[in-house]
Amino acid sequence: MTLNEAIIAIPAFVGMGLGIYNLLRDVSKSKVKLKVIPKSVVSHAKDHRGDTLFKWTPHTFDPKISSDKFAIEVINTGLITVTIDNVGFLTQSKANPMQIHKPIPIDGGEWPRRLSPHEAVTVCCDLHSLLASDRAYEIKCAYAETQSGLARKGDSKALKQLVDYAKSIA
């Protein structure tokens, strides 16, 4: 290899590397990226304007201090807008997820929810109904599904403790 060929080869390889990098970056931009976080609702109350305020944690579930709700937060961490129309819990028998049929968005917004990039929605379900289910002790994780059928799942310490509690009362 001559000096001229080496001088030409170096920028060619750099250009090829940058092209591959940009291709991978563009593919990544067009992916749906959702973060699903199950949370224990510790308390909720109304403020002076009548708005409901919630206090929740993904770290602990204590049936003695938890309120009558359990929440799932869905965060769109991607760069494209998505519509979330289905949330719930996946169980060990994958055939039948435990869908929350009428999720209650904490912010009072509409459902299904259109999420812009970096936007989030938190929905609640009735804790007593969830625990009364004959499959509550089988829950593995929470899930969120887009209108196009793409699902993402997530878990937390609070959800694991909820499942442990469901097993203890079953």
Side-chain angles (χ1 to χ4, degrees):
M1 180 181 266
T2 67
L3 183 59
N4 267 352
E5 290 171 338
I7 291 173
I8 292 171
I10 290 173
F13 281 118
V14 170
M16 183 179 70
L18 288 173
I20 292 169
Y21 169 77
N22 284 332
L23 173 71
L24 294 174
R25 201 171 111 210
D26 285 345
V27 168
S28 176
K29 281 183 185 178
S30 64
K31 283 187 176 179
V32 173
K33 297 178 186 175
L34 298 174
K35 188 172 186 180
V36 180
I37 308 166
K39 296 180 175 189
S40 172
V41 178
V42 178
S43 64
H44 63 281
K46 298 230 182 245
D47 68 1
H48 65 283
R49 293 178 298 194
D51 295 333
T52 304
L53 304 173
F54 291 86
K55 180 180 177 186
W56 59 71
T57 175
H59 304 295
T60 58
F61 170 78
D62 184 350
K64 295 175 189 142
I65 63 168
S66 291
S67 76
D68 58 345
K69 306 248 182 268
F70 199 82
I72 299 175
E73 182 178 22
V74 183
I75 306 168
N76 180 4
T77 58
L79 297 174
I80 59 174
T81 301
V82 295
T83 300
I84 307 298
D85 71 342
N86 189 359
V87 292
F89 302 96
L90 295 178
T91 61
Q92 292 169 354
S93 62
K94 296 178 183 178
N96 271 342
M98 294 174 63
Q99 178 183 352
I100 300 172
H101 291 288
K102 292 183 181 176
I104 306 161
I106 285 181
D107 61 4
E110 301 213 5
W111 191 259
R113 176 62 65 89
R114 188 170 170 86
L115 293 180
S116 298
H118 307 292
E119 192 176 13
V121 63
T122 302
V123 297
C124 285
C125 67
D126 182 59
L127 180 62
H128 302 296
S129 298
L130 182 63
L131 289 172
S133 165
D134 58 346
R135 297 186 306 149
Y137 63 90
E138 293 180 1
I139 293 174
K140 287 191 336 184
C141 60
Y143 77 94
E145 187 175 12
T146 65
Q147 273 187 333
S148 61
L150 186 68
R152 295 290 183 255
K153 41 189 186 174
D155 62 358
S156 67
K157 265 184 153 177
L159 182 62
K160 289 176 183 162
Q161 291 170 354
L162 171 75
V163 172
D164 289 343
Y165 178 70
K167 286 177 184 175
S168 74
I169 62 172

